[in-house]
Amino acid sequence: MRIGVLTSGGDCPGLNAVIRSVVHRAVADHGDEVIGFRDGWKGLLECDYLKLDLDAVGGILARGGTILGSSRVRPEHLRDGVERARGHVAELGLDAIIPIGGEGTLKAARLLSDNGLPIVGVPKTIDNDIAVTDVTFGFDTAVGVATEALDRLKTTAESHQRVLIVEVMGRHTGWIALHSGMAAGAHAIVVPERPFDIDELTARVGERFEAGKRFAIVVAAEGAKPKPGSMAFDEGGKDIYGHERFAGIARQLSVELERRLDKEARPVILGHVQRGGTPTAYDRVLATRFGWHAVEAAHRGEFGMMTALRGTDIVMVSLAEAVESLKTVPESRYAEAECVL
Amino acid sequence: MRIGVLTSGGDCPGLNAVIRSVVHRAVADHGDEVIGFRDGWKGLLECDYLKLDLDAVGGILARGGTILGSSRVRPEHLRDGVERARGHVAELGLDAIIPIGGEGTLKAARLLSDNGLPIVGVPKTIDNDIAVTDVTFGFDTAVGVATEALDRLKTTAESHQRVLIVEVMGRHTGWIALHSGMAAGAHAIVVPERPFDIDELTARVGERFEAGKRFAIVVAAEGAKPKPGSMAFDEGGKDIYGHERFAGIARQLSVELERRLDKEARPVILGHVQRGGTPTAYDRVLATRFGWHAVEAAHRGEFGMMTALRGTDIVMVSLAEAVESLKTVPESRYAEAECVL
Amino acid sequence: MRIGVLTSGGDCPGLNAVIRSVVHRAVADHGDEVIGFRDGWKGLLECDYLKLDLDAVGGILARGGTILGSSRVRPEHLRDGVERARGHVAELGLDAIIPIGGEGTLKAARLLSDNGLPIVGVPKTIDNDIAVTDVTFGFDTAVGVATEALDRLKTTAESHQRVLIVEVMGRHTGWIALHSGMAAGAHAIVVPERPFDIDELTARVGERFEAGKRFAIVVAAEGAKPKPGSMAFDEGGKDIYGHERFAGIARQLSVELERRLDKEARPVILGHVQRGGTPTAYDRVLATRFGWHAVEAAHRGEFGMMTALRGTDIVMVSLAEAVESLKTVPESRYAEAECVL
Amino acid sequence: MRIGVLTSGGDCPGLNAVIRSVVHRAVADHGDEVIGFRDGWKGLLECDYLKLDLDAVGGILARGGTILGSSRVRPEHLRDGVERARGHVAELGLDAIIPIGGEGTLKAARLLSDNGLPIVGVPKTIDNDIAVTDVTFGFDTAVGVATEALDRLKTTAESHQRVLIVEVMGRHTGWIALHSGMAAGAHAIVVPERPFDIDELTARVGERFEAGKRFAIVVAAEGAKPKPGSMAFDEGGKDIYGHERFAGIARQLSVELERRLDKEARPVILGHVQRGGTPTAYDRVLATRFGWHAVEAAHRGEFGMMTALRGTDIVMVSLAEAVESLKTVPESRYAEAECVL
């Protein structure tokens, strides 16, 4: 078999583990050939690839990033995108393509699959918001990075009281905020799914100070917002990549809480630190299992499908199903966390 | 409600997170009283306990060990054990007991439950070998510790070739060996479920050297054994706690492989390092969810049950079901790992 | 001997190690009594203290923060501050006071020492800018935190180029920026000692992109500034504690560089994360040695002195000498780092 | 200038940082050419090398091991070793050779230097036992690894008492044992410099148990030995590389202490884990400074010299002086540590 792999979208710890696993299973066990397209779909559309043999993936298991590079270009972005892709697949004699990416990539995967290309997808979302799989790799690492930062904040012993607002990833869903907030014992968590009441947040933080505590920790998902009209809030405007430019929930909350409580309030912005570095063991194992199962699915001719974790098993689900909905944090999880606003 | 908590059996990262979660949910949300028995069942049998309020559990979320201590004494170890336990429960006016422990503790929990005591159990096994829950807390941390050690071994650049045999926990099951071996890309993994062929292991390691590689990494679960008769093997004899005394699979393999391959072979014995220290974010979240759900189950009168993770949900399963069987590594998982003998 | 200890000023990893070391040496070896004043000098001025025996310092060696708390109040802040301090020292029968703190604390220590109080100081500055000692504890931990964050940023593999500006501590000196920038291989470092040329910084970053690199990492000490007039720069205004309120060099640089280069530029703000958490082994050893030597100096009657590291030895230097000057990064160190602007 | 670099002897975190620094300073700043000999002196004796340009050292700063490989072969091991070396240096037109290695390598460096070759050495000893430099890189990382393991052991809360004996590196000197033991608060430390009294060690550990403590932690440098005749002790016999084969101080102490105290005693053997992995920020900075200064010394024609750290400065010392003596732990440091036997 001849397999083409690509990684698309934002950085996510574990991508290299998937690539390595695909190569190990395909090349070492099945005697397949594997090529890797550079910078995601762009590489497929421009026929820009490299051979992936065992040596090419030596030593990458624990490495962050992706040896294939990544971009946000997708077939539907270009006229004739699908035809160009189909053409190259034929030229290269590919029997299967394994794209590893998020919602956008899986939609593109589905489009190409509907157009007859042999696709087996591997889901990638550091926010853990793809509904049909219990967990996606990279999430555990990001939560770990945020949790370590929060742990360090909790040792402050200075007597003048302060609020620390840690901004974590999560533009549309609050999974990273929820898990890191729970893991580190934050005093308040705000998530995109539930616009928060600034008075309630202020009161929650204020209670800590009235009880004589030295600090209060707030975890804010980047996409969290106050209830409309409750607080001056700068939506940020977008830059050319669709990202918020100047506003940041942590900064705005630090200004607002400082004003309301007359206590020092400081933001901590982890940004891209959460996307990088060595993946945790959990993420490496999950990524490895996804890669292995993707190769097996390809060999079984199960195209138009995607790997997913259900309990402790890796199963295949249809790409159609995969992109239907976002996995938002359900109400039931808020109660467990005790501090989500 | 008045709730009694206890932690029994070996150390496991996450125990404190469970205790804290029980107290937070019960005391802060339900207005319950919580007491903690010292050193596991021993505390219940001897009525040795302390009050657990919010202050008592302040700052313990990220701490290894258990503020309640632990022991291996269980009710069935003593004559009148059950009656003594029943007596103290009555004296103390306890409405629920939440024992957190492994197989032995859950069996004791079942015994007491069958005798009418209001028990809601929380499973604890660092080996992740309780069948009715997808994952148990502490496992991720142990795998992480082993993986970090393995990662460090993989950077060796000395030209004289050597084998490194890392002994990890797993007396009866190979889950920690499997996951850390996969996460770190070990070259061979031996597990208790499958007595290994020393010739095969020697060949596996030898191939690395013939290919000019500088090192070979073997991960050995402590309970792994060679096929009978294939290799001189000292079962170790037991000490008064039932632990192997002198033999160790890593040491014996280092001697055997050095002899067979005429290459340096060194054991790495992580021992209790794997049981200690700050739990990972994953383990803290799982432990916290277990504690919260145990309290909720107690309030619903669901006794004789135990918390368990199924997919992404926490559910209650009967203690009877919980202790039926050990979760051994299934054949299907060996293929994914590619290097299990 | 009766010794009083206090920790003053900002949080710094290693404070607890000093306290523990003082207690171990004094109580266990000399049979002394040790008390700890709460929240720094405030505790001495208000006679607010607790007894510090071996149990009181059990388990604190690896803990961030300080069990005694800290504040920024100093004797010279209050009328009769010196007399009140002297009064309490007499009432409590103290033979020595060991204040652990930064420049402000050491100045206060000197003032009290000049007024006859028996003071032996221990220097504390996470910025490592006290001139008379080669290194101060806490610095290594802070550099480590920043370096780990920088390491994670360096694995980015996305094809659209971006600049990441990491803001680290260092209001007046660039030691943390220099060391973390060197340790992680940053592409540019800006420090307070040398106002930077924004054109030069833009060119430095631009070169990376022209060479096809995917990212550029800039490390900015919080007190770094552009050369006057070269770039719109908001000095920030101060809050009631004398801290910059809204401006941040990382945010301002991200806006400026994004505008100039037309590439995505994102700030990473580690803030208080750098001050907290478990101290590194290096910091614990240095802090322990400082505490031990402070006790020995007290027993030798060497007052008006402070512990300092010179090479591998701990020596005593006069408090007068200690507060003379700030240890700024010398020119010679810039050349070694190769990327300081 | 044309410079040849090589790394010799055992693995040590920071080697790649030195190599990278040499290349950055020499190639980028001086316009030099740099080549790297493979596997230490072996590469120089066999003229086996690779070109080292900026790309060759991209991304290696944080990596453990050495991209050049290492071996224990030295010129004096071979007949005509010196002449062969001289020959290749001439053939390759090398103006300077920068060998990075330990005592053996520095002796070889001195031999070649005495024979007219242009050598500038960089010291490497993970044990930190080269006398003329305050610190050597790799030591901080090794101490950190040992300290993290010790930290994890200190959280044990099981009620049945046990002794944990952690074996750390240090065949001839106890620096790693001293620093990690101090950093983690071990209860006893045994070092090669001082054969220990097993009765004293037993008593030290026994005191912990009599005081009701749950565990005792002993740190043993691998070269530590009991006083002759006090305890059955297997010197181990040597393997073909001169390494101890079967005996290990930790195992033997675990057997002895278990017998004497009738408490569980378990060894933890970190082995090569201490030599590998990402160097700490401290080690990367020191290694980087060493590499930079070695290049500068070469440009100044200062041959027969070696880089060394004195306080906060990097200075050059003569290779003759460098190999004179081993830096053993002095008596004064034992007192500070409070638990060295």
Side-chain angles (χ1 to χ4, degrees):
Chain A
M1 212 176 203
R2 208 154 190 255
I3 300 175
V5 185
L6 62 92
T7 50
S8 174
D11 280 301
C12 187
L15 285 171
N16 278 328
V18 182
I19 296 168
R20 169 188 180 273
S21 182
V22 165
V23 173
H24 274 228
R25 183 57 176 170
V27 174
D29 296 346
H30 287 288
D32 295 335
E33 273 186 65
V34 179
I35 65 174
F37 292 106
R38 289 192 176 90
D39 293 334
W41 293 110
K42 195 154 160 292
L44 172 56
L45 295 167
E46 295 173 5
C47 217
D48 178 19
Y49 65 95
L50 65 146
K51 175 173 173 174
L52 288 181
D53 53 15
L54 293 174
D55 284 339
V57 298
I60 71 170
L61 175 54
R63 222 171 279 174
T66 156
I67 57 169
L68 297 179
S70 180
S71 76
R72 295 170 190 261
V73 172
R74 293 198 301 272
E76 60 271 40
H77 290 169
L78 312 172
R79 214 162 60 100
D80 304 327
V82 176
E83 285 319 305
R84 277 164 70 175
R86 190 204 304 282
H88 294 313
V89 167
E91 282 164 41
L92 295 168
L94 293 178
D95 303 298
I97 297 148
I98 298 179
I100 306 158
E103 200 197 354
T105 296
L106 299 175
K107 279 182 173 154
R110 187 196 174 177
L111 171 68
L112 293 177
S113 176
D114 288 348
N115 274 276
L117 273 65
I119 310 275
V120 178
V122 172
K124 168 196 80 58
T125 160
I126 204 167
D127 292 316
N128 196 33
D129 58 11
I130 285 177
V132 297
T133 173
D134 286 353
V135 187
T136 47
F137 61 84
F139 174 67
D140 186 62
T141 303
V143 169
V145 170
T147 301
E148 279 179 41
L150 288 161
D151 280 351
R152 287 190 179 275
L153 292 177
K154 295 201 90 184
T155 59
T156 186
E158 292 186 54
S159 69
H160 83 251
Q161 297 168 323
R162 65 165 64 91
V163 195
L164 293 151
I165 303 109
V166 183
E167 186 173 302
V168 301
M169 285 187 297
R171 205 148 274 156
H172 308 291
T173 60
W175 288 106
I176 291 177
L178 179 75
H179 277 240
S180 60
M182 278 180 79
H187 307 110
I189 300 174
V190 289
V191 297
E193 291 92 335
R194 297 220 295 201
F196 61 89
D197 184 323
I198 186 61
D199 292 331
E200 198 188 326
L201 179 59
T202 307
R204 183 74 68 82
V205 169
E207 272 167 27
R208 284 279 297 173
F209 295 142
E210 281 148 35
K213 306 294 186 180
R214 287 160 187 260
F215 59 87
I217 314 265
V218 176
V219 177
E222 46 180 346
K225 285 202 242 295
K227 284 180 168 151
S230 62
M231 172 182 142
F233 190 70
D234 178 354
E235 294 278 339
K238 310 259 179 228
D239 64 22
I240 61 177
Y241 299 109
H243 296 166
E244 245 91 60
R245 190 194 286 276
F246 304 127
I249 181 67
R251 283 198 75 78
Q252 296 189 64
L253 273 178
S254 72
V255 171
E256 185 72 23
L257 289 171
E258 200 165 273
R259 194 175 65 71
R260 286 170 165 248
L261 293 164
D262 196 31
K263 301 282 182 186
E264 188 177 301
R266 293 280 177 269
V268 171
I269 308 211
L270 299 173
H272 276 87
V273 174
Q274 299 165 82
R275 279 196 187 274
T278 305
T280 57
Y282 183 93
D283 280 343
R284 295 187 222 174
V285 171
L286 181 58
T288 294
R289 297 184 74 195
F290 274 178
W292 191 92
H293 281 268
V295 170
E296 295 305 283
H299 273 268
R300 291 191 306 265
E302 276 180 48
F303 298 114
M305 306 296 278
M306 177 190 94
T307 59
L309 175 73
R310 291 286 168 80
T312 56
D313 300 318
I314 305 296
V315 301
M316 303 307 294
V317 299
S318 76
L319 285 168
E321 205 188 322
V323 303
E324 266 170 10
S325 55
L326 207 63
K327 182 166 68 186
T328 51
V329 177
E331 287 285 329
S332 55
R333 292 299 305 273
Y334 294 148
E336 285 176 11
E338 93 187 308
C339 59
V340 182
L341 260 70
Chain B
M1 212 176 202
R2 208 156 191 254
I3 300 176
V5 185
L6 63 92
T7 51
S8 174
D11 280 301
C12 187
L15 285 171
N16 279 328
V18 183
I19 296 168
R20 170 187 178 273
S21 182
V22 165
V23 173
H24 275 227
R25 184 55 176 170
V27 174
D29 297 346
H30 287 288
D32 296 334
E33 275 186 63
V34 180
I35 65 173
F37 291 106
R38 289 192 177 89
D39 293 336
W41 294 111
K42 195 154 159 292
L44 172 56
L45 295 168
E46 297 173 5
C47 218
D48 178 18
Y49 66 93
L50 65 146
K51 175 173 173 174
L52 289 180
D53 54 15
L54 293 174
D55 284 340
V57 299
I60 71 170
L61 176 55
R63 221 172 279 175
T66 156
I67 58 169
L68 297 180
S70 179
S71 75
R72 295 168 190 262
V73 171
R74 293 197 299 272
E76 60 271 42
H77 290 169
L78 313 172
R79 214 161 61 99
D80 303 327
V82 175
E83 285 317 305
R84 279 164 68 176
R86 189 204 306 282
H88 294 313
V89 165
E91 282 163 43
L92 294 168
L94 293 178
D95 303 297
I97 298 148
I98 298 179
I100 307 159
E103 200 196 356
T105 296
L106 299 175
K107 279 182 172 155
R110 187 195 175 180
L111 171 67
L112 293 178
S113 176
D114 288 347
N115 273 274
L117 273 63
I119 311 274
V120 177
V122 171
K124 169 196 79 60
T125 160
I126 204 167
D127 291 316
N128 197 33
D129 59 10
I130 284 177
V132 297
T133 172
D134 286 354
V135 187
T136 48
F137 61 84
F139 175 67
D140 186 62
T141 304
V143 169
V145 169
T147 302
E148 279 179 42
L150 288 161
D151 279 351
R152 288 190 178 274
L153 292 177
K154 295 201 91 183
T155 58
T156 186
E158 292 185 55
S159 69
H160 82 250
Q161 297 168 323
R162 66 165 65 91
V163 195
L164 293 151
I165 304 110
V166 183
E167 187 173 300
V168 301
M169 284 187 297
R171 205 148 274 155
H172 308 292
T173 59
W175 288 106
I176 290 177
L178 178 75
H179 277 239
S180 60
M182 278 181 79
H187 307 110
I189 300 174
V190 289
V191 297
E193 291 91 334
R194 297 218 297 200
F196 61 89
D197 184 321
I198 185 62
D199 292 331
E200 198 188 327
L201 179 59
T202 308
R204 183 73 69 82
V205 168
E207 270 166 30
R208 285 278 297 173
F209 295 142
E210 282 148 36
K213 308 294 185 179
R214 286 159 189 261
F215 58 88
I217 314 263
V218 176
V219 177
E222 47 180 344
K225 285 203 244 293
K227 283 181 168 148
S230 63
M231 172 182 142
F233 190 71
D234 178 354
E235 294 277 339
K238 311 261 179 224
D239 64 20
I240 61 176
Y241 302 107
H243 295 165
E244 244 92 63
R245 191 195 285 277
F246 304 127
I249 181 66
R251 284 198 75 78
Q252 297 187 64
L253 273 178
S254 71
V255 171
E256 186 71 22
L257 289 171
E258 200 165 272
R259 195 175 65 71
R260 287 169 166 247
L261 292 163
D262 196 31
K263 301 282 181 187
E264 188 177 300
R266 292 280 176 269
V268 170
I269 309 211
L270 299 173
H272 276 87
V273 172
Q274 300 165 83
R275 280 196 187 273
T278 305
T280 58
Y282 184 95
D283 280 342
R284 295 187 222 173
V285 171
L286 182 57
T288 294
R289 297 184 75 195
F290 274 178
W292 191 92
H293 282 268
V295 171
E296 295 304 284
H299 274 268
R300 292 191 305 265
E302 277 181 48
F303 298 115
M305 306 295 279
M306 177 189 95
T307 58
L309 174 73
R310 291 286 168 80
T312 55
D313 300 318
I314 305 296
V315 301
M316 303 307 293
V317 299
S318 75
L319 285 168
E321 204 188 324
V323 302
E324 266 170 11
S325 55
L326 208 62
K327 183 165 67 185
T328 51
V329 178
E331 286 285 329
S332 56
R333 291 299 305 273
Y334 294 148
E336 286 176 11
E338 95 187 306
C339 60
V340 182
L341 260 70
Chain C
M1 210 176 203
R2 208 155 190 253
I3 300 175
V5 186
L6 63 92
T7 51
S8 175
D11 280 302
C12 187
L15 285 171
N16 278 328
V18 182
I19 296 168
R20 170 188 179 272
S21 182
V22 165
V23 173
H24 274 228
R25 183 57 175 169
V27 174
D29 296 345
H30 287 288
D32 295 334
E33 271 185 66
V34 179
I35 65 174
F37 292 105
R38 290 193 177 89
D39 293 334
W41 294 111
K42 195 153 161 289
L44 172 56
L45 295 168
E46 296 172 5
C47 218
D48 178 19
Y49 65 94
L50 65 146
K51 174 174 175 176
L52 288 180
D53 54 15
L54 293 174
D55 282 340
V57 299
I60 72 170
L61 176 55
R63 220 172 282 175
T66 155
I67 57 168
L68 297 179
S70 178
S71 75
R72 293 169 190 263
V73 172
R74 295 198 298 273
E76 60 270 42
H77 290 171
L78 311 172
R79 210 161 64 100
D80 303 328
V82 176
E83 286 318 306
R84 277 164 70 177
R86 188 203 307 281
H88 294 313
V89 166
E91 282 163 43
L92 294 169
L94 292 178
D95 303 298
I97 297 146
I98 299 179
I100 307 159
E103 200 197 354
T105 297
L106 298 175
K107 279 180 172 157
R110 188 198 173 175
L111 172 68
L112 294 177
S113 175
D114 288 348
N115 275 276
L117 273 64
I119 310 274
V120 177
V122 172
K124 168 196 80 59
T125 160
I126 204 167
D127 292 315
N128 196 32
D129 58 10
I130 284 178
V132 297
T133 172
D134 286 353
V135 187
T136 48
F137 61 84
F139 175 68
D140 186 63
T141 303
V143 169
V145 170
T147 301
E148 278 178 42
L150 288 161
D151 280 351
R152 287 190 178 275
L153 292 177
K154 295 201 90 185
T155 58
T156 186
E158 290 186 56
S159 69
H160 83 250
Q161 297 168 323
R162 65 165 65 91
V163 196
L164 293 151
I165 303 110
V166 183
E167 186 173 303
V168 301
M169 283 187 296
R171 205 149 272 155
H172 308 291
T173 59
W175 288 106
I176 291 177
L178 178 75
H179 277 238
S180 60
M182 278 181 79
H187 307 109
I189 299 174
V190 291
V191 298
E193 292 92 334
R194 294 216 300 199
F196 61 91
D197 183 323
I198 185 63
D199 292 330
E200 198 188 327
L201 178 59
T202 307
R204 184 74 68 84
V205 168
E207 270 166 29
R208 284 279 297 174
F209 295 142
E210 281 148 38
K213 307 294 185 182
R214 290 161 186 258
F215 59 88
I217 313 264
V218 177
V219 176
E222 46 179 346
K225 284 202 242 295
K227 284 179 167 151
S230 62
M231 172 182 143
F233 190 72
D234 177 353
E235 294 278 340
K238 310 258 178 227
D239 65 21
I240 61 176
Y241 300 109
H243 296 165
E244 245 90 63
R245 193 195 283 277
F246 304 125
I249 181 67
R251 282 197 76 77
Q252 296 189 68
L253 272 178
S254 72
V255 171
E256 186 71 22
L257 289 171
E258 199 166 273
R259 195 177 62 72
R260 286 170 166 250
L261 292 164
D262 195 30
K263 301 281 182 188
E264 188 178 300
R266 293 282 177 268
V268 171
I269 309 208
L270 299 173
H272 276 87
V273 173
Q274 299 164 84
R275 277 195 190 275
T278 304
T280 57
Y282 183 95
D283 280 343
R284 296 187 222 174
V285 171
L286 181 58
T288 294
R289 298 184 73 196
F290 275 177
W292 191 92
H293 281 269
V295 170
E296 294 305 283
H299 273 268
R300 291 191 306 265
E302 277 180 47
F303 298 115
M305 307 295 278
M306 178 189 94
T307 58
L309 174 73
R310 291 286 167 80
T312 55
D313 301 316
I314 305 297
V315 302
M316 303 306 293
V317 300
S318 75
L319 286 169
E321 203 187 327
V323 303
E324 265 170 10
S325 56
L326 206 63
K327 183 167 67 185
T328 51
V329 178
E331 287 285 329
S332 55
R333 291 299 305 273
Y334 294 150
E336 286 176 11
E338 92 187 307
C339 60
V340 182
L341 259 71
Chain D
M1 208 174 205
R2 208 155 191 254
I3 301 176
V5 185
L6 63 92
T7 51
S8 174
D11 280 303
C12 187
L15 284 172
N16 278 329
V18 182
I19 296 168
R20 171 188 178 273
S21 181
V22 165
V23 173
H24 274 228
R25 184 55 175 169
V27 174
D29 296 345
H30 287 288
D32 295 335
E33 274 186 65
V34 179
I35 65 173
F37 291 106
R38 289 195 178 88
D39 293 334
W41 294 111
K42 195 153 160 290
L44 172 55
L45 295 169
E46 295 173 6
C47 217
D48 178 18
Y49 66 94
L50 65 147
K51 174 174 175 177
L52 288 180
D53 55 14
L54 293 173
D55 283 341
V57 299
I60 71 171
L61 176 54
R63 220 171 282 175
T66 155
I67 58 168
L68 297 180
S70 179
S71 75
R72 294 168 191 262
V73 172
R74 294 198 299 271
E76 61 270 41
H77 289 170
L78 313 172
R79 214 160 61 99
D80 302 328
V82 176
E83 287 316 306
R84 279 165 69 177
R86 187 203 306 282
H88 294 312
V89 166
E91 282 163 43
L92 295 168
L94 293 178
D95 303 298
I97 298 148
I98 299 179
I100 308 158
E103 199 196 355
T105 297
L106 299 174
K107 277 179 174 158
R110 185 195 178 181
L111 171 68
L112 293 177
S113 175
D114 288 348
N115 275 275
L117 273 64
I119 311 273
V120 177
V122 171
K124 169 196 79 62
T125 158
I126 204 168
D127 292 315
N128 197 33
D129 58 11
I130 284 177
V132 298
T133 171
D134 285 354
V135 187
T136 47
F137 61 84
F139 174 68
D140 186 63
T141 304
V143 169
V145 170
T147 301
E148 279 178 41
L150 288 161
D151 280 351
R152 287 190 179 274
L153 293 177
K154 294 200 91 184
T155 59
T156 186
E158 292 187 55
S159 68
H160 83 249
Q161 297 167 323
R162 66 165 64 91
V163 195
L164 292 151
I165 303 109
V166 183
E167 187 174 301
V168 301
M169 284 186 296
R171 203 148 274 157
H172 308 292
T173 58
W175 289 105
I176 290 177
L178 178 76
H179 277 239
S180 59
M182 278 180 79
H187 307 110
I189 299 174
V190 291
V191 298
E193 292 91 332
R194 295 217 299 200
F196 61 90
D197 183 321
I198 185 62
D199 291 330
E200 197 188 328
L201 178 59
T202 307
R204 183 74 67 83
V205 169
E207 271 166 29
R208 284 280 297 174
F209 295 142
E210 280 148 38
K213 307 293 185 181
R214 288 160 188 260
F215 59 88
I217 314 264
V218 177
V219 176
E222 45 179 347
K225 283 202 242 295
K227 284 179 167 151
S230 62
M231 172 182 144
F233 189 72
D234 177 354
E235 295 277 339
K238 310 259 178 229
D239 65 21
I240 61 176
Y241 300 109
H243 295 164
E244 243 92 63
R245 190 194 285 276
F246 304 125
I249 182 67
R251 283 198 75 78
Q252 296 189 66
L253 273 178
S254 72
V255 171
E256 186 71 23
L257 289 171
E258 199 166 274
R259 196 175 62 72
R260 286 170 166 248
L261 293 163
D262 196 31
K263 302 281 182 187
E264 188 177 300
R266 293 281 177 268
V268 171
I269 310 211
L270 300 173
H272 277 86
V273 173
Q274 300 165 83
R275 278 195 188 274
T278 304
T280 57
Y282 183 94
D283 280 342
R284 295 187 222 174
V285 171
L286 181 57
T288 294
R289 298 184 74 196
F290 273 178
W292 191 93
H293 281 270
V295 170
E296 295 304 284
H299 273 268
R300 291 191 306 264
E302 276 181 48
F303 298 115
M305 306 295 278
M306 177 188 95
T307 58
L309 174 73
R310 291 285 168 81
T312 56
D313 300 317
I314 305 296
V315 301
M316 303 307 294
V317 299
S318 75
L319 286 169
E321 204 188 325
V323 303
E324 265 170 11
S325 55
L326 207 62
K327 183 166 68 185
T328 51
V329 177
E331 286 284 329
S332 55
R333 291 299 305 272
Y334 295 149
E336 286 175 10
E338 92 186 307
C339 59
V340 182
L341 259 71

